[in-house]
Amino acid sequence: MARTRQQTSAPSPVGLAAAEPADIQRLVEELDSMLSRLRLGAIREQLDGLLEEAAQRQLNLRETLAWLCAAEVASKEQRRLSMAMTIARFPFVRTLEGFEFEAQPSIDPGKIRDLGTCRWVANGDNMVLLGPPGVGKTHLEVALGREAVARGYTVQFTTAMELLGALVKAQQQGTLEMRLAQYAKPKLLIIDELGYLPLEPQAGHLFFQLISRRYEQGSVLISSNRPVEEWDEVFGDQVVAAAILDRLMHHSHVVTIRGDSYRLREKRRAGLFRPPAGGSSLAGIGGVPPPMPAKES
Ligand code: ADP
Ligand code: MG
């Protein structure tokens, strides 16, 4: 098919050596369709502007070609990024740069920035983010997830409720295998808000199946408002919780945030209410030590 099309277009490169001005003119007329055929959409759309700028900068032919290619590469990368971000299904846009570390002194900025390099994702390690509501767990999950997307990893964001709801439903409909395969696929699976709502009785077993399947294959980033010591209550089964934690924690980075809700802090700043006497009203998980030393990396 490509051959047929080629025959209909202007002189072959060999023929070009002896091209007359009229042949060149015909080539120029076909430039638009040639750029489309080569899928060089950015060059096609911005050609006049790019050539004008190249002329203003007095670029030679080779430099101009590099200038055009750079525009195409940038546009393709932008498209890839925006598609991957859409596929990841982040609930909102948050970045590491937008995280105020001063507001959460219990977090080591160096450790988070190191996790931001995504070496742990490359290694298939896991990450567990613990802390009371409003301290920035989802913010950090999204920010780290975006860093992973930017580095070319496939990422999927979901909540524990959504994930387990989908697995329970799939089990009832006989499509569990398909669902598990789907959740096993992304290089990084982010599971937000484990422990906020009670789970169905079979949820622990299904979660275990998923974690086993991803074990040492792809990374899981999971956040919870409950310390891991309470996960047997979360899953309603001590044995299942221990088996899940065994795999999840084997190669894992644990970050425990102790502190006040950022949301309430903002409101307090705005004078909407006073801080509670004697410090945080949301101590909760704040006083619980991390379950295991985070892995040195
Ligand atoms: P959590 O998931 O722990 O309940 P979120 O990540 O949803 O908390 O944080 C609540 C809101 O506060 C979000 O809009 C988040 O971007 C913001 N936020 C939380 N902590 C910080 C922080 N340290 N710096 C900047 N914004 C923050
Ligand atoms: Mg959250």
Side-chain angles (χ1 to χ4, degrees):
M1 187 176 170
R3 204 164 266 180
T4 332
R5 275 210 229 150
Q6 205 164 354
Q7 280 162 3
T8 61
S9 61
S12 69
V14 179
L16 277 178
E20 297 291 326
D23 295 329
I24 300 291
Q25 187 49 45
R26 211 162 76 229
L27 279 180
V28 170
E29 280 162 19
E30 290 189 3
L31 182 56
D32 215 60
S33 68
M34 285 193 285
L35 289 171
S36 294
R37 247 177 82 186
L38 295 169
R39 301 185 197 287
L40 300 173
I43 297 181
R44 183 169 58 81
E45 278 154 32
Q46 307 163 39
L47 189 62
D48 290 343
L50 288 168
L51 289 180
E52 215 167 279
E53 180 133 12
Q56 266 171 21
R57 291 170 182 243
Q58 300 187 314
L59 303 186
N60 64 28
L61 289 179
R62 185 178 287 268
E63 288 166 346
T64 303
L65 185 57
W67 172 251
L68 295 174
C69 287
E72 188 64 46
V73 167
S75 148
K76 284 200 163 41
E77 176 59 13
Q78 192 51 47
R79 261 188 58 193
R80 183 199 71 77
L81 252 171
S82 104
M83 262 180 70
M85 293 290 180
T86 308
I87 289 169
R89 296 181 59 220
F90 295 119
F92 44 52
V93 176
R94 292 291 185 281
T95 60
L96 284 184
E97 297 79 46
F99 193 81
E100 274 180 56
F101 286 99
E102 315 80 63
Q104 289 303 346
S106 67
I107 301 182
D108 171 7
K111 179 166 180 174
I112 300 296
R113 289 201 187 98
D114 192 39
L115 290 165
T117 65
C118 298
R119 253 180 306 142
W120 62 286
V121 180
N123 295 340
D125 294 350
N126 298 320
M127 181 176 164
V128 180
L129 199 45
L130 302 168
V135 293
K137 297 186 298 299
T138 307
H139 184 133
L140 287 174
E141 283 173 316
V142 171
L144 291 170
R146 289 174 62 88
E147 292 294 332
V149 169
R151 283 163 177 76
Y153 298 112
T154 47
V155 178
Q156 191 183 344
F157 182 102
T158 183
T159 62
M161 275 323 266
E162 186 185 45
L163 170 85
L164 289 164
L167 292 182
V168 168
K169 196 169 155 202
Q171 191 182 38
Q172 288 159 356
Q173 295 176 341
T175 54
L176 182 60
E177 189 48 41
M178 217 176 71
R179 271 288 177 191
L180 283 172
Q182 181 203 331
Y183 283 118
K185 230 176 177 179
K187 181 71 179 155
L188 170 62
L189 179 66
I190 303 177
I191 306 169
D192 195 27
E193 297 192 340
L194 179 75
Y196 276 87
L197 294 166
L199 301 175
E200 305 205 29
Q202 71 271 45
H205 285 275
L206 293 170
F207 196 74
F208 170 73
Q209 285 187 53
L210 176 67
I211 296 299
S212 305
R213 192 168 289 221
R214 294 189 59 88
Y215 181 59
E216 293 188 333
Q217 305 271 331
S219 300
V220 174
L221 164 46
I222 187 163
S223 74
S224 180
N225 60 326
R226 309 274 298 267
V228 289
E229 292 84 347
E230 291 177 15
W231 283 19
D232 41 2
E233 272 173 45
V234 171
F235 289 112
D237 186 319
Q238 212 173 349
V239 177
V240 166
I244 290 170
L245 281 169
D246 179 59
R247 280 157 185 77
L248 199 61
M249 294 296 194
H250 186 200
H251 303 287
S252 79
H253 303 265
V254 181
V255 174
T256 302
I257 312 178
R258 304 174 176 84
D260 281 349
S261 161
Y262 189 86
R263 291 190 195 101
L264 300 189
R265 180 176 174 270
E266 295 284 280
K267 290 211 169 67
R268 234 174 257 141
R269 273 195 182 163
L272 288 180
F273 61 75
R274 288 161 189 280
S280 170
S281 60
L282 288 161
I285 200 171
V288 178
M292 273 188 190
K295 185 184 148 185
E296 295 300 317
S297 53

